Amino acid sequence: MQKYLTHFTGRTLGLSIALALGVTFTAGAQIVPKQLSGPPSDFQSMRSPDPVESAIHSHSAMVPVSMIEKKGGTGWSSTIPVEDNALRFALLTPGGMPWDVSLSGPSGQKLRAADTAKSARASSFGMGEAQVPAQMYSFPSLASGNWKIELEGSAKAASQGYLLIEGSASTGLTSYPTHSRQLVGQTMGLTAQLTALDASEKAITGAGAGRIERAEMEVTAPSGKIQRMAMFDDGRHDDGAAGDGIFGAAFTASEAGSHVAQVVIEGVDRNGNRVLRTAEHLLAFVNPTLSLAGSRATATAAKSATPRLTINIPVTAPKNASHYRSYAEVWGRDARGNEVPVAWVGGMVTPEAGKFGLGFDERWIAKSGAQAPFELRNLRIEDPDTSVTIASSARMGLSLPALRVRAKAADIEIDEMMTMGPRPVEAAQAKGVGKRLLLVHGYCSGGVWPAAQFGTSSTFLDKNQNRSHDYFARLIKSFGSTWNSFGVVAHSQGGAASLHLYTYYWSGLDNATGNRLIQSVGTPYKGTNLAGILAKLGSWFGVGCGNNTDLGYNGANAWLAGIPNSARAKVNYYTTSFKLTNWYTNDYCNAATDLVLSDPEDGTTEKANGQLPGAVNRGHVEGQCHTAGMRDPAQYLNASRNATMNSNAAR
C-alpha cells in the first residue's frame, strides 16, 4: 500500500505560495490517489472529446479601443454594423468610463449616446471578484446598416479599452480548435464559419447562413507576444474544402501556459446585412515532460489476499516529475477470438523507476469473460492542471500474470475495491474527528454562503484566488482533514473542484453518510464563455485573478472526459437565471455579460453549460443570479434551497 501514498506538490502553485496566501495544508494529511476503474459503459463519455464539442457560438464582437491624442484630449472611431434595427454595446476599461460616445448613421444622422440612448448605465464585466468597469448603452430603435462610433476623452482619460457589441441572435460565428494536441512546439488550428437560424429556428450552415468577407486571428502568448494572421477558405488551412464557407488558420505555441486566440470575422448575413463577430479561445499548452518508453505494458500481481494487479506503463520522465492524470481501456478476446471490452483503468499517478503503475482488480477480467491476448486502448497521460494530453497510444500490448479469480461473471458484484482501489490505512491519513458540511466558494471569490443557514458546517476560504480544479480539490481535502467525514455545498467552480476531489483522491467525502454527498449551485461544468473573454481583456490590461483554462469550454470538456459516471452520480446540482419580465425587453442578470452569454444564464453560467450528465439535476429557478451585485438576488442566498441542501447534506 505504501507505494500508492503520494503527497503531491502542485506545479503551478507550490505549497510555499499557498502558505503565503493564508491557505494551509493540515499536518499529516497526505494526498492519497484512488486506483480508478469502471465498466465499459463509461468508455464513450470518458474518451477524449471531439474539438467541435468545445465550439464557441458567438453573437457578439469585442473590438479593441486605442485612444489617440488630439487637440484638447483623446479620441477614437470605428465603423460598426447595426443589425435588426437595434444596438446594445458596452465600453470596458480598467479605470472606469471617462469617454463621451457619439454615433453617426448611414443617412448622416448624428446622435450623442448619453442623450439619445434608451438606457445608459454603469455595470461591470467579469467572474467573481475579477471585474472590469463597463458602461452600457442600449438603442432599441436604430436604423440597420453601418454606423460610425466616436469616442472622446480628456487627456487624463483611459487610453485603452474594449468595445463589446451585441449582434443579432439569428446569426452567429461558430469557431473551434481543429485538434487537442496542445504541447509546446505544436501547431494549433482554429476554424470560423457563419451559422444562422431560419424563421422556424432551424440551424443553417454554409452559404445559406451568410458570407464571411474577412477573417483573421490574433493570438496572445503567456509572455504577451502577439501573432496576427489571416484566415483562409482555400482547403489548405484545416478549413475543410475550398469555398465551403469555413475559414482556418494556425499558430505554433512556442511557450507553455495559456494562450488567448481571438477569431474575428466580418461579412454579411443571409439577408445581406453587415455582421461583425469575434470568438475568444482560451487554450493551455504544456511542455512534454513525459513520453512513452515502449509498446507493451506488463501487469504484476499484488502480494496480498486481494486480487489486485499493477499495470506498469513504461515511460521516460524526469526524476522530479509530479503527478499526471491517466486513462486507458482494457480489452481482451473471447473464446472465438472476438474483441471483448473489459474495463477502463486510470487515476492520478506518479512516475517511478521508468514506469507508472495503474491499480487494477482482476475481477473486471473475470466479469467480462475475456482472455488473452489483452491490450490497452486509447491510453492517454495528461497534465492534471489542464487535462492536456502529454503522451498517448491508440493501442498497447498488455501482458498479465496468471489470474487468481475463478468466480463466475454473474457472481461478481462491482464494489468499492473494484472502482476505487483499497482504502488507505489510517496511518496514511490525518486522524480527523467528527463530521462536517463544508461550504465552498468558487473562482476568484470568498465566503459566499450564509453559514447561519447550515448546521454543523464550516466555511472553506481561499479568498480571491485562481486555482486549477486539481489544486482547488487538494486544498479542500486539506481543509476537510480536520474532520473524519464531510459533505460539500459548493458554489460555481467549487462544485467542479469538489467532484474532482471525490473522483481522484481519498478524503472525508468517502466517509460521509447522508443523502447528498456533493451539492452545487451555478457550477459551469461545461465551461463558460466568460473565461476566454476575460483572458483576452487580461492580456491587454490585466484582470483580477488571472486565466483559468478549466473554466473555458476547451478545458472544461477535456476535464469532464476523465470524470466517470459513478462519481458524477454523487453530485446534486442546481441552475438559475434572471427573471423574465416582459417579452419585448432585454432581461439579464448582468447587463454586460448578457451581451456574450446565451439565455437562460445567471450572469456567469449558461443553463446549457451548467449541466452535468450523469448527475442529479435538482432543477432550474428563475429570478436568481450568480453572485451579489447583479439584478436579481444571488443564488447562494436562497434560504429555502439552502434549507433543503442543509437537511439533505451528507456529513
Side-chain angles (χ1 to χ4, degrees):
M1 276 297 301
Q2 188 61 36
K3 64 182 178 181
Y4 294 113
L5 307 181
T6 307
H7 191 174
F8 295 135
T9 300
R11 293 195 298 279
T12 56
L13 292 171
L15 176 60
S16 60
I17 297 177
L19 292 173
L21 293 172
V23 179
T24 59
F25 289 88
T26 304
Q30 290 183 313
I31 301 295
V32 183
K34 294 179 178 178
Q35 300 172 33
L36 301 178
S37 293
S41 57
D42 282 346
F43 284 4
Q44 189 59 42
S45 64
M46 295 187 69
R47 285 176 176 165
S48 293
D50 188 319
V52 175
E53 296 175 28
S54 300
I56 294 174
H57 303 283
S58 172
H59 300 93
S60 62
M62 190 165 73
V63 180
V65 173
S66 291
M67 303 292 280
I68 60 174
E69 293 184 8
K70 67 176 188 177
K71 186 177 180 179
T74 60
W76 177 87
S77 66
S78 184
T79 299
I80 60 174
V82 172
E83 306 169 43
D84 293 343
N85 300 112
L87 176 65
R88 282 205 305 162
F89 65 87
L91 292 171
L92 312 177
T93 69
M97 302 296 129
W99 300 329
D100 291 325
V101 185
S102 61
L103 299 168
S104 299
S107 300
Q109 64 271 52
K110 189 166 184 177
L111 309 174
R112 187 171 181 269
D115 299 330
T116 58
K118 180 178 180 180
S119 174
R121 67 168 66 88
S123 184
S124 63
F125 184 98
M127 291 191 296
E129 296 300 315
Q131 298 287 331
V132 177
Q135 184 67 27
M136 295 291 307
Y137 295 94
S138 175
F139 298 84
S141 299
L142 210 60
S144 294
N146 284 337
W147 284 70
K148 182 180 181 181
I149 183 170
E150 296 180 90
L151 308 180
E152 293 183 347
S154 68
K156 296 181 180 180
S159 61
Q160 291 183 328
Y162 278 94
L163 170 65
L164 188 59
I165 312 165
E166 180 185 47
S168 170
S170 63
T171 302
L173 162 65
T174 296
S175 179
Y176 54 86
T178 57
H179 62 79
S180 57
R181 299 183 299 277
Q182 295 169 219
L183 299 179
V184 173
Q186 293 189 332
T187 298
M188 168 62 74
L190 290 170
T191 65
Q193 65 176 311
L194 283 179
T195 56
L197 297 175
D198 63 15
S200 62
E201 296 195 351
K202 181 181 178 181
I204 304 172
T205 59
R211 183 178 72 256
I212 294 177
E213 296 178 340
R214 181 183 72 89
E216 65 180 26
M217 181 168 67
E218 180 180 281
V219 181
T220 305
S223 64
K225 180 182 177 181
I226 295 176
Q227 302 178 64
R228 295 184 179 91
M229 60 213 73
M231 302 181 76
F232 299 93
D233 182 15
D234 57 5
R236 296 182 294 175
H237 291 80
D238 284 337
D239 58 295
D244 62 358
I246 302 175
F247 284 67
F251 69 95
T252 300
S254 59
E255 54 188 280
S258 58
H259 292 62
V260 186
Q262 184 185 48
V263 173
V264 184
I265 68 96
E266 292 182 79
V268 294
D269 66 15
R270 59 196 302 263
N271 298 314
N273 300 310
R274 304 296 306 176
V275 295
L276 172 66
R277 299 284 187 273
T278 66
E280 290 73 30
H281 298 269
L282 181 56
L283 302 167
F285 285 82
V286 302
N287 287 309
T289 54
L290 176 147
S291 61
L292 295 175
S295 59
R296 176 166 289 276
T298 302
T300 55
K303 296 179 181 179
S304 66
T306 59
R308 301 292 297 177
L309 301 174
T310 299
I311 299 176
N312 297 298
I313 312 292
V315 297
T316 299
K319 291 183 179 179
N320 61 346
S322 186
H323 64 297
Y324 298 85
R325 188 171 83 158
S326 62
Y327 171 85
E329 297 165 8
V330 179
W331 288 73
R333 302 275 176 168
D334 64 16
R336 297 182 178 181
N338 298 314
E339 296 177 338
V340 174
V342 175
W344 63 267
V345 59
M348 296 293 180
V349 292
T350 300
E352 182 180 356
K355 63 181 183 298
F356 69 75
L358 299 175
F360 190 64
D361 199 298
E362 292 182 20
R363 287 176 290 172
W364 287 112
I365 300 171
K367 189 170 182 62
S368 70
Q371 58 188 34
F374 293 97
E375 66 177 358
L376 299 179
R377 295 186 185 178
N378 298 311
L379 167 67
R380 62 181 193 265
I381 305 168
E382 301 172 336
D383 175 80
D385 292 309
T386 61
S387 302
V388 170
T389 299
I390 296 175
S392 63
S393 177
R395 303 178 83 140
M396 174 180 284
L398 173 61
S399 299
L400 297 182
L403 302 178
R404 296 161 291 181
V405 174
R406 295 289 182 265
K408 295 180 180 180
D411 296 332
I412 297 175
E413 294 186 7
I414 298 175
D415 59 18
E416 180 185 276
M417 179 77 77
M418 290 177 68
T419 57
M420 295 189 287
R423 282 181 175 251
V425 294
E426 286 189 8
Q429 294 278 60
K431 294 182 179 180
V433 177
K435 60 185 179 180
R436 215 70 176 170
L437 176 62
L438 304 190
L439 307 178
V440 179
H441 59 73
Y443 163 83
C444 198
S445 182
V448 297
W449 295 101
Q453 296 180 11
F454 298 89
T456 320
S457 66
S458 292
T459 299
F460 168 87
L461 191 63
D462 182 30
K463 191 174 181 180
N464 298 343
Q465 298 301 319
N466 175 19
R467 311 295 192 188
S468 69
H469 289 348
D470 188 65
Y471 196 82
F472 199 154
R474 290 181 285 130
L475 290 176
I476 297 171
K477 189 296 194 223
S478 180
F479 178 77
S481 294
T482 298
W483 302 280
N484 176 66
S485 67
F486 61 83
V488 170
V489 166
H491 181 243
S492 198
Q493 189 195 359
S498 300
L499 173 56
H500 187 98
L501 171 60
Y502 176 76
T503 300
Y504 292 109
Y505 305 111
W506 291 101
S507 73
L509 283 170
D510 297 288
N511 299 329
T513 58
N515 294 334
R516 304 181 188 178
L517 186 64
I518 299 170
Q519 300 177 85
S520 69
V521 181
T523 298
Y525 289 106
K526 296 182 179 180
T528 172
N529 197 27
L530 300 189
I533 296 174
L534 270 178
K536 182 62 177 175
L537 289 171
S539 69
W540 195 332
F541 43 68
V543 178
C545 299
N547 301 344
N548 191 309
T549 56
D550 279 342
L551 296 178
Y553 293 144
N554 188 69
N557 279 309
W559 167 76
L560 197 56
I563 306 298
N565 290 324
S566 58
R568 300 184 193 193
K570 297 294 184 179
V571 177
N572 290 257
Y573 69 94
Y574 299 85
T575 57
T576 74
S577 63
F578 53 79
K579 184 177 181 180
L580 292 171
T581 54
N582 300 295
W583 65 268
Y584 51 84
T585 60
N586 286 309
D587 285 308
Y588 56 86
C589 271
N590 177 286
T593 61
D594 187 58
L595 301 179
V596 301
L597 296 175
S598 296
D599 295 342
E601 40 86 4
D602 66 9
T604 298
T605 303
E606 296 161 318
K607 179 183 178 182
N609 291 311
Q611 306 302 303
L612 178 61
V616 181
N617 185 341
R618 290 292 174 181
H620 182 84
V621 176
E622 293 183 0
Q624 298 171 19
C625 294
H626 195 79
T627 190
M630 295 185 176
R631 195 195 68 174
D632 297 334
Q635 55 195 195
Y636 45 74
L637 298 179
N638 184 270
S640 176
R641 181 168 56 239
N642 289 349
T644 298
M645 291 194 293
N646 179 57
S647 62
N648 286 281
R651 288 176 172 85

